[in-house]
Amino acid sequence: MRTLKTTLLSVIVLFFSINMVQAQSEVTLDFPNADAALQLAQQHVQGWKDMDLAKLEKNLSPKAMIYGLGAGNDSLTVAQHKDFLKASMDKYTYEVTSELYLPVKVTNNWNEGEWVLCWGLNTITNKKTGKKSPVRYHTAILTENGKEIVAVYYYYDTGDVMATQGFTITPPEGW
């Protein structure tokens, strides 16, 4: 019985020790590539401001993936991203303001890497109707060695965008 208790106690201690070691992720705002990563993110956002596909694509790695950017797609390759942007810029204009940037490096965690978190306001205007949609956004841009962007994650409320463009959302019966 004593051996069983000792074994159980050892397993519990080992389990918590492993979890404690795994939970020792580190996040820092001070890292060697912070300025370079920040510049990459600012240049990317400047592409939206200027409605310039070349600027938007300039710092993307050929293997980059873009997530959460409308059209119902979970992810876009660089080529799909370019097609999406071209179609979008044919229908809408973009006015990006109130940007805020935060370079951050994460180690020993599932989201390890050199990131730039961005927040701002993107006022989208439908060229056909003239309707404006103010969209508060957040992006998380993953950079690699301060040289290129390997992923962009877009977060914004698509319901607000749809409502400002005149769409209605009908709740299910009995809601």
Side-chain angles (χ1 to χ4, degrees):
M1 184 67 154
R2 185 173 198 181
T3 306
L4 178 62
K5 286 181 184 178
T6 304
T7 303
L8 283 174
L9 181 60
S10 297
V11 169
I12 290 170
V13 168
L14 181 61
F15 174 76
F16 283 111
S17 297
I18 289 171
N19 283 339
M20 292 292 283
V21 169
Q22 289 176 345
Q24 298 297 323
S25 64
E26 183 178 316
V27 178
T28 183
L29 304 177
D30 185 25
F31 59 100
N33 294 325
D35 289 338
L38 176 63
Q39 187 175 15
L40 290 170
Q42 288 173 327
Q43 288 173 354
H44 185 75
V45 172
Q46 191 63 45
W48 280 108
K49 290 174 132 185
D50 296 341
M51 292 192 58
D52 185 329
L53 288 173
K55 283 183 184 176
L56 273 160
E57 301 279 316
K58 178 182 177 189
N59 296 315
L60 291 179
S61 162
K63 66 179 180 181
M65 293 298 294
I66 294 80
Y67 301 94
L69 189 59
N73 295 325
D74 286 351
S75 60
L76 299 171
T77 64
V78 173
Q80 292 167 326
H81 180 242
K82 185 175 185 175
D83 292 343
F84 174 85
L85 292 173
K86 186 174 177 347
S88 184
M89 288 180 181
D90 286 345
K91 295 178 187 173
Y92 304 101
T93 60
Y94 300 94
E95 181 185 354
V96 179
T97 58
S98 306
E99 309 97 274
L100 175 66
Y101 299 91
L102 179 66
V104 60
K105 182 173 183 172
V106 179
T107 54
N108 197 29
N109 204 349
W110 65 268
N111 60 342
E112 187 168 311
E114 296 176 353
W115 295 86
V116 179
L117 308 177
C118 313
W119 296 267
L121 177 66
N122 187 355
T123 303
I124 302 169
T125 303
N126 184 313
K127 289 179 179 180
K128 192 175 191 178
T129 66
K131 287 188 178 184
K132 292 184 180 283
S133 300
V135 179
R136 295 237 166 253
Y137 72 89
H138 165 66
T139 57
I141 298 174
L142 180 59
T143 66
E144 198 167 80
N145 300 319
K147 293 181 173 42
E148 60 187 358
I149 295 170
V150 294
V152 181
Y153 295 81
Y154 286 88
Y155 302 97
Y156 56 94
D157 187 342
T158 55
D160 281 349
V161 175
M162 292 174 67
T164 59
Q165 289 293 317
F167 290 86
T168 56
I169 300 171
T170 305
E173 192 172 315
W175 181 256

